[in-house]
Amino acid sequence: MLMHVQPGVFMRRDPSGAAAPVVFDIPRSGAEYPRAFRTTAPLGDVQRSISSYVEELYAGVPLAGATWLYACFPNIFIDANRHELDIDPEALDGAWPEPLRPSEKTKAGIGLIPMVCAGTTCLYTSRLPVAEVRSRLDNYYWPYHRELSRLLGGFRAERRIALHMSCHSMPAFPAAGSPDAGKRRSDFDLGDRNGTTCGAEVTGLVEAVLRGFGYHVTRNQHFIGAECVRKHGNPESGIHSLQIEMNRSLYMDEESRMREPGLQQVRAHLTELARQLSAFADAQATARS
């Protein structure tokens, strides 16, 4: 296994042998807080925004022939799974140089630059300088996405196919007030933005492998897929991007945020998923050559 690091931004692990055209990206599990991050929120509340242990659960994918890409910075600082213009203008001290596109996530305080954590805890007592937000984009967000794009584009050019699995975790139960509050979520929810970012054969393979391990798997039910798959997925050109949401109760105690014994088994299953995706992608690349 070979490791490449851009300090504070991303860590990449490559297979020691020939790499299959498969990338697993983990964009929302980083815990390296940049010095520029200043907040009045309690650390415990801030930490709850991290998708804990996802990088560990997928740590075996290089052994299965796939590439592992991990965002080191926390999503509470800047969220790599949001559009670059998904910013609340009222949160800025100054004018942005182009029209912003705040989404419902931003209106809830969890856009590109989150303004709340742990549901309701405010992160800042004043507006953020435009230069600070621009720095977060230029030094963290864009370098991560450029590396992901470079990997996928390189595989696509060389092998005529690239599979991109964007790896996330979700609470076992939706927040209070949600339409399905109180109902346990599926074990895995696969988001392909309703079939637009990933081919049906690839999504079907992931679903079949996970179902084979006994998991309850849904598609586009809890999350349809956000910016990482929207920005990079283009199945017509051979790049298939799928968001994989994993139920946290499979491997951790959500209250204490401690690992549960099931983590090792889930990790083994995800390594096998990577192995089967790598074999599929290699076979597809050979058939297209």
Side-chain angles (χ1 to χ4, degrees), residues 71-143:
C72 301
F73 55 90
N75 64 295
I76 202 71
F77 179 67
I78 187 167
D79 193 337
N81 204 34
R82 297 283 184 260
H83 191 276
E84 62 270 19
L85 295 176
D86 194 356
I87 303 171
D88 180 2
E90 295 300 315
L92 300 178
D93 183 10
W96 199 255
E98 59 185 309
L100 294 172
R101 293 161 48 182
S103 69
E104 291 302 316
K105 294 289 188 181
T106 285
K107 294 173 184 176
I110 51 174
L112 175 75
I113 306 294
M115 304 306 291
V116 301
C117 61
T120 59
T121 304
C122 291
L123 285 162
Y124 308 104
T125 58
S126 60
R127 297 183 178 190
L128 294 175
V130 166
E132 165 64 18
V133 176
R134 174 57 64 191
S135 175
R136 296 186 191 190
L137 280 162
D138 292 344
N139 297 312
Y140 297 89
Y141 181 95
W142 285 121

Side-chain angles (χ1 to χ4, degrees), residues 26-214:
I26 302 100
R28 304 187 79 240
S29 299
E32 296 182 24
Y33 292 94
R35 289 187 177 182
F37 181 60
R38 297 286 187 270
T39 179
T40 56
L43 180 61
D45 287 352
V46 172
Q47 291 283 84
R48 287 192 171 275
S49 297
I50 296 173
S51 293
S52 299
Y53 312 124
V54 175
E55 76 282 10
E56 292 185 30
L57 287 154
Y58 287 95
V61 304
L63 302 175
T67 299
W68 177 96
L69 180 67
Y70 165 66
C72 301
F73 55 90
N75 64 295
I76 202 71
F77 179 67
I78 187 167
D79 193 337
N81 204 34
R82 297 283 184 260
H83 191 276
E84 62 270 19
L85 295 176
D86 194 356
I87 303 171
D88 180 2
E90 295 300 315
L92 300 178
D93 183 10
W96 199 255
E98 59 185 309
L100 294 172
R101 293 161 48 182
S103 69
E104 291 302 316
K105 294 289 188 181
T106 285
K107 294 173 184 176
I110 51 174
L112 175 75
I113 306 294
M115 304 306 291
V116 301
C117 61
T120 59
T121 304
C122 291
L123 285 162
Y124 308 104
T125 58
S126 60
R127 297 183 178 190
L128 294 175
V130 166
E132 165 64 18
V133 176
R134 174 57 64 191
S135 175
R136 296 186 191 190
L137 280 162
D138 292 344
N139 297 312
Y140 297 89
Y141 181 95
W142 285 121
Y144 182 78
H145 278 289
R146 282 197 296 268
E147 179 66 5
L148 180 52
S149 180
R150 185 191 69 80
L151 290 167
L152 295 172
F155 283 135
R156 170 64 183 85
E158 181 181 352
R159 307 292 302 279
R160 303 184 69 182
I161 189 172
L163 306 188
H164 166 216
M165 304 293 117
S166 193
C167 309
H168 303 258
S169 71
M170 57 184 175
F173 292 88
S178 300
D180 54 350
K183 183 178 180 181
R184 186 185 184 279
R185 286 171 168 155
S186 56
D187 295 324
F188 288 88
D189 192 40
L190 309 181
D192 58 11
R193 298 188 67 84
N194 297 312
T196 62
T197 64
C198 188
E201 189 174 8
V202 176
T203 304
L205 174 59
V206 174
E207 181 176 20
V209 172
L210 294 174
R211 285 186 184 276
F213 292 125

